Amino acid sequence: MERTIARQVITARDIQLFFGKGQRMSYKMIAEMRKYFDKEKHQPVTIEEFCTYFKVKREEVYQAILMGNKPQIQSK
């Protein structure tokens, strides 16, 4: 069974996981996308808009998000 994502909004953490960028740069990238799509500060950027803006495949983004949401195993 394939896992899916229930949410539609991209977060700075998702961008960090996908591009390997830092938190501040990820927030700047979201701000750039908001400006590009003519959105207000309070309006979120969707995963679809992220894919359109950066010309990446939605499946690749979903995979990166799912891989990053795995619980971390702590060794003793």
Side-chain angles (χ1 to χ4, degrees):
M1 187 167 87
E2 189 175 314
R3 291 174 49 188
T4 59
I5 299 174
R7 62 188 167 89
Q8 298 296 313
V9 177
I10 193 95
T11 65
R13 179 69 181 144
D14 298 334
I15 295 172
Q16 285 179 274
L17 293 169
F18 189 75
F19 285 120
K21 300 283 185 184
Q23 185 178 17
R24 289 180 61 111
M25 186 63 195
S26 298
Y27 281 113
K28 286 180 183 180
M29 292 167 84
I30 289 174
E32 289 172 9
M33 286 185 280
R34 277 198 186 106
K35 187 175 181 180
Y36 178 82
F37 290 109
D38 198 29
K39 291 185 166 231
E40 305 269 334
K41 271 189 165 185
H42 68 278
Q43 294 177 304
V45 175
T46 65
I47 294 172
E48 287 294 322
E49 291 168 333
F50 173 82
C51 293
T52 301
Y53 186 81
F54 287 105
K55 296 178 178 59
V56 295
K57 294 180 183 175
R58 180 180 37 192
E59 294 78 25
E60 293 174 358
V61 175
Y62 284 156
Q63 183 180 12
I65 292 170
L66 289 172
M67 299 263 312
N69 287 336
K70 287 184 179 176
Q72 300 296 318
I73 299 173
Q74 295 179 353
S75 59
K76 290 185 177 186

